[in-house]
């Protein structure tokens, strides 16, 4: 893909992201992912819940605080309470919220995706940097992540750590769920790693759900996440969504295992990425041309322009 086309797609994504956090409609003549099996209805319901939590991040801080969006009364998220919005500045170029879900017995920290074109353009810069405090698999210098994503997370790091510590102290038996759409997914993954490495929470209590997440780091980072010990790491990709294909593999980036692909027949399929270095060639990587910016803003029919 030519650079000019890439920037056009990414800019379109940024504009659309405030317009909708989409639902995947069946594609006439679509086909299922070869070599992959359909996920269970119970699991898909969990993914839809996480996308609802993501969608709320596109609302204003006031709507989030009041839990006043049109889907906020849905049975799977209606009991959210102790809500604390946060941002990196008064302009809120980066935004999220912390909360408590009684029904899920979980602390929730959700991150919004890019809010404007400038944010999105920054995400297509491809410089990598060493992941701070990397422990466990491999030498620290081998585990590298996208510089821009790390910078964005570090702008929210102190708030994330403080919020997680406070809520986990108040609800010590609860798990911790980190979730986000697009750039927010990258932030959720980096936050999960940081909170474990910082001693805030055990990896076994952490669930990470992302939708339309870009690649965050290199192959060593993919291996690092795979061996990290999260209770779950689920990375949902919708059909031809362009963003999960960025930054490109040939630039040294690789997803960590955990893909669930909404295939061209609108079926959520399990992907065998754990035995394929983090990416299953039978899932999103069957899409090698004609990636679609519209599919980036389409996840399970949840439209954020109608919920805030």
């Amino acid at each position: 893909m030519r650079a000019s086309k890439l920037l056009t797609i990414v800019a379109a994504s940024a504009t659309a992201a405030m317009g909708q956090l989409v639902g995947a409609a069946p594609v006439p003549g679509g086909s299922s992912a070869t070599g992959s099996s359909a996920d269970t209805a119970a699991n898909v319901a969990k993914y839809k819940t996480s996308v609802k939590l993501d969608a709320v991040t596109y609302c204003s801080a006031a709507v989030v605080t009041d839990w006043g969006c049109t889907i906020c009364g849905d049975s799977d998220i209606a009991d959210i309470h102790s809500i604390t919005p946060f941002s990196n500045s008064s302009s809120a170029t980066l935004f999220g919220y912390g909360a408590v879900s009684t029904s899920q017995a979980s602390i929730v920290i959700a991150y919004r995706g890019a809010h404007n074109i400038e944010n999105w353009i920054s995400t297509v810069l491809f410089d990598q940097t060493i992941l701070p405090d990397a422990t466990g698999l491999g030498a620290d210098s081998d585990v590298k992540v996208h510089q821009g994503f790390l910078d964005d997370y570090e702008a929210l790091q102190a708030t994330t750590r403080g919020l997680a510590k406070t809520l986990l102290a108040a609800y010590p038996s609860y798990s911790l769920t980190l979730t986000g759409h697009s750039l927010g997914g990258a932030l959720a993954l980096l936050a999960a790693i940081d909170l474990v490495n910082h001693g805030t929470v055990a990896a076994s209590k952490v669930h990470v759900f992302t939708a339309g997440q870009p690649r965050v780091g290199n192959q060593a980072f993919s291996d690092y996440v795979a061996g990290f010990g999260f209770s779950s790491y689920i990375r949902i990709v919708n059909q031809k969504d362009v963003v999960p294909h960025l930054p490109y593999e040939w630039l040294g980036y690789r997803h960590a295992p955990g893909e669930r692909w909404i295939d061209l027949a609108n079926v959520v399929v399990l992907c065998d990425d754990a035995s394929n270095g983090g990416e299953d060639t039978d899932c999103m990587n069957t899409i090698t041309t004609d990636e679609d910016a519209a599919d980036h803003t389409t996840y399970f029919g949840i439209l954020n322009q109608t919920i805030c």
Side-chain angles (χ1 to χ4, degrees):
M1 186 183 299
R2 295 177 62 88
S4 59
K5 182 180 178 183
L6 172 60
L7 293 179
T8 298
I9 289 175
V10 172
S13 303
T15 302
M18 285 307 292
Q20 54 181 332
L21 188 61
V22 241
V27 175
S31 59
S32 295
T34 303
S36 300
S37 59
D39 207 340
T40 66
N43 282 341
V44 172
K46 293 179 183 178
Y47 310 156
K48 290 180 178 179
T49 296
S50 73
V51 170
K52 289 180 183 180
L53 295 171
D54 297 342
V56 177
T57 66
Y58 287 95
C59 295
S60 69
V63 170
V64 173
T65 300
D66 293 341
W67 209 242
C69 68
T70 60
I71 64 170
C72 289
D74 287 4
S75 60
D76 53 342
I77 63 171
D79 66 349
I80 291 288
H81 63 93
S82 303
I83 303 159
T84 304
F86 57 84
S87 64
N88 62 324
S89 66
S90 59
S91 62
T93 54
L94 301 170
F95 179 81
Y97 65 87
V100 178
S101 169
T102 303
S103 60
Q104 297 177 46
S106 189
I107 308 303
V108 174
I109 300 180
Y111 297 88
R112 186 171 64 194
H115 191 193
N116 56 41
I117 292 174
E118 287 77 14
N119 279 160
W120 269 107
I121 297 304
S122 74
T123 69
V124 298
L125 302 175
F126 303 121
D127 291 345
Q128 292 184 355
T129 189
I130 296 169
L131 178 67
D133 301 322
T135 58
L137 295 178
D140 291 2
S141 60
D142 292 338
V143 180
K144 295 183 178 180
V145 297
H146 184 280
Q147 179 72 66
F149 298 156
L150 183 61
D151 289 345
D152 284 348
Y153 172 65
E154 288 181 340
L156 300 173
Q157 184 181 63
T159 300
T160 295
R161 287 178 176 180
L163 189 55
K165 182 177 180 180
T166 298
L167 291 175
L168 287 166
Y171 299 88
S173 66
Y174 279 22
S175 63
L176 176 64
T177 297
L178 295 115
T179 185
H181 167 251
S182 190
L183 168 64
L187 300 180
L189 179 55
L190 290 172
I193 292 169
D194 176 59
L195 292 173
V196 173
N197 281 343
H198 193 247
T200 305
V201 64
S204 60
K205 293 185 67 173
V206 175
H207 301 274
V208 184
F209 294 94
T210 73
Q213 176 205 309
R215 294 184 176 103
V216 175
N218 62 1
Q219 181 66 66
F221 176 76
S222 172
D223 297 339
Y224 182 70
V225 173
F228 206 74
F230 290 134
S231 181
S232 60
Y233 169 54
I234 304 297
R235 180 175 57 81
I236 309 161
V237 179
N238 180 52
Q239 298 186 352
K240 296 183 178 183
D241 184 353
V242 62
V243 172
H245 294 271
L246 303 173
Y248 293 119
E249 288 183 272
W250 53 268
L251 289 163
Y253 286 85
R254 188 78 169 171
H255 277 301
E259 182 182 0
R260 302 295 186 272
W261 187 43
I262 304 171
D263 71 9
L264 300 187
N266 204 40
V267 175
V268 179
V269 295
L270 298 162
C271 302
D272 185 21
D273 44 13
S275 59
N276 286 280
E279 300 196 21
D280 186 351
T281 56
D282 287 333
C283 284
M284 77 167 203
N285 283 338
T286 59
I287 307 301
T288 57
T289 60
D290 299 322
E291 296 98 333
D292 193 344
D295 283 349
H296 181 58
T297 54
T298 306
Y299 280 79
F300 298 125
I302 301 165
L303 308 179
N304 77 342
Q305 83 268 28
T306 67
I307 73 166
C308 297

